[in-house]
Amino acid sequence: MTRVDLDYKDTMQQEAVPSVSDDANFTLNRFPSYKIGADNVIVEVNEDSKVPSLKEIVAKETVQLLEQQKRLSVRDLAKKFENGFATAAKISDEAKFREVASLDRHVLLKKLRDVLESLRGRVAGRNKDDAEEAIAMVEALAVQLTQREGELIQENAEVKKLANLLKQATEEARKIVEEERALACAEIGNARAAVQRVEQAAFEEQKLVSRNFEMQDLEELMKEVQEARRIKMLHQPSKVMDMEHELQALRIQIAEKSMYAIQLRKELAMNKKLDDNSHLYDLDGSESLGSCLRIIPCTNSSPDISNCSIQWFRILSEESKKELISGAIKPIYALEPFDVGRYLQAEIISNNKRVTVTTTGPIDPAAGLGNYVEALMRKADTEFNVVIVQMNGQDYSLNSIHVFHVGKMRIKLCKGRNTKADEQYSTSMQLCGIRGGGNAAAQALFWQAKKGLSFTLAFESDRERNAAIMLARRFAFDCNIMLAGPGDRAPTET
């Protein structure tokens, strides 16, 4: 608060005259902007010195519109001029608002000068000097305000002129838009008519071309029919059919003669063996996959086969090499798929005397087995019903039926949810026909799932057993695994 002398203390308390407002900025020689609100309340208006004036904004937008007029479309140009029209209306409103604000400032300055005059008459000393200085500043501000009003009136005149120009440009733009729209509609109508004419002409031309093609196709078809009739008249279908029947009958006869020749060759070899008095043993059984070969004595003087040592071999006819069949040491041997195309030989040792018996020819494949296996190869998993005869070399007491799954990646033996073995193809896995046994050996196989786990399985038929062996070996070969029986990969020299 401003210090007051003691003589005027009572007067200041009674009159309660306030000091000059702290908001006055004597350095800038101006007062802050105010406006009078409701109930004569003075409201401060925030002014941002960085915001450009409306005149500059309108001039800038006008220049941009004139620059873009050449590259804008009619619709964009019309929209831009409409925006300019709205801006002009806004400028006019703001000019009116400035006029009102100028009036408010004059009223405020007058009231402020009256307050300062009354204050100067009531104070003395330094406060009086401050009041006089404030009055002088108010008068200077009034002069500046008057100058500013003159500039504002000039700006308003220019703004009104720009607004009129924008209105006129907007009207002209609307006229241009309407004219361009009418021209565009006319051009679109002409283009549609031209397209319709072109489509009609293309349709007529396509119709004419298709008609020509139909006539040409009909003529070609008639020529082909005539040529077919001529060929049919030249040939005699009945003779052709008779020739086909004769060829089929000749093929059947050739096949029968071939089988009969093979049988005669085998019988001739057997007769030669019988004529030889030194021949002690012979092989009995069909030499084809699915059967069993049995060693039988030929003379009464032949030693008892049960007291002899026996070993079966496979012989490659091309190289004349013997391949030991591991575990085949019984008088009966069930043929398996590995034996097809090879000779089989049994070596009998009795009283330090060695006798060998050999098949008359290579083992023949089973009829239809190859096609059956090819059909099973198309499946991902094939199931066979089996009975476990032995497990790890010990007789299996239960004769319940299990399911033997042969898949592309693994083999599994299970009964319902109970799984006996489930192994992928590996080098430790073995699979082959049972080597030795009774008459049912042709229906059984030996499977070693892994080291320490092996099974002897009996199938429903020899066809199922051989198909399971061939299928598993094919799948294992696809996995780069050679699936065979014990010792089948180590042939021995003769």
Side-chain angles (χ1 to χ4, degrees), residues 408-459:
K408 292 181 181 283
M409 303 297 297
R410 61 198 314 118
I411 298 178
K412 181 171 67 172
L413 178 64
C414 62
K415 180 184 178 182
R417 296 183 179 179
N418 184 17
T419 302
K420 294 290 184 182
D422 186 3
E423 299 294 331
Q424 292 184 348
Y425 296 109
S426 62
T427 55
S428 61
M429 183 180 292
Q430 295 179 357
L431 185 70
C432 63
I434 191 69
R435 295 171 177 178
N439 295 327
Q443 300 178 10
L445 62 77
F446 170 78
W447 177 46
Q448 177 180 298
K450 59 183 179 180
K451 291 183 179 180
L453 182 60
S454 61
F455 300 91
T456 300
L457 306 177
F459 286 72

Side-chain angles (χ1 to χ4, degrees), residues 52-53 143 276 307-308 385 404 444 451:
S53 63
V143 173
D276 188 4
N307 298 326
C308 300
N385 294 328
F404 188 64
K451 291 183 179 180

Side-chain angles (χ1 to χ4, degrees), residues 4-17:
V4 183
D5 294 338
L6 296 175
D7 299 335
Y8 300 99
K9 182 177 180 181
D10 296 333
T11 306
M12 292 296 294
Q13 290 178 353
Q14 292 175 0
E15 298 294 333
V17 178

Side-chain angles (χ1 to χ4, degrees), residues 214-230:
E214 288 178 358
M215 294 297 295
Q216 185 178 357
D217 292 341
L218 182 60
E219 293 177 357
E220 292 179 356
L221 183 60
M222 292 177 63
K223 290 180 180 179
E224 291 180 359
V225 170
Q226 292 176 358
E227 184 68 17
R229 288 178 179 176
R230 186 182 66 81

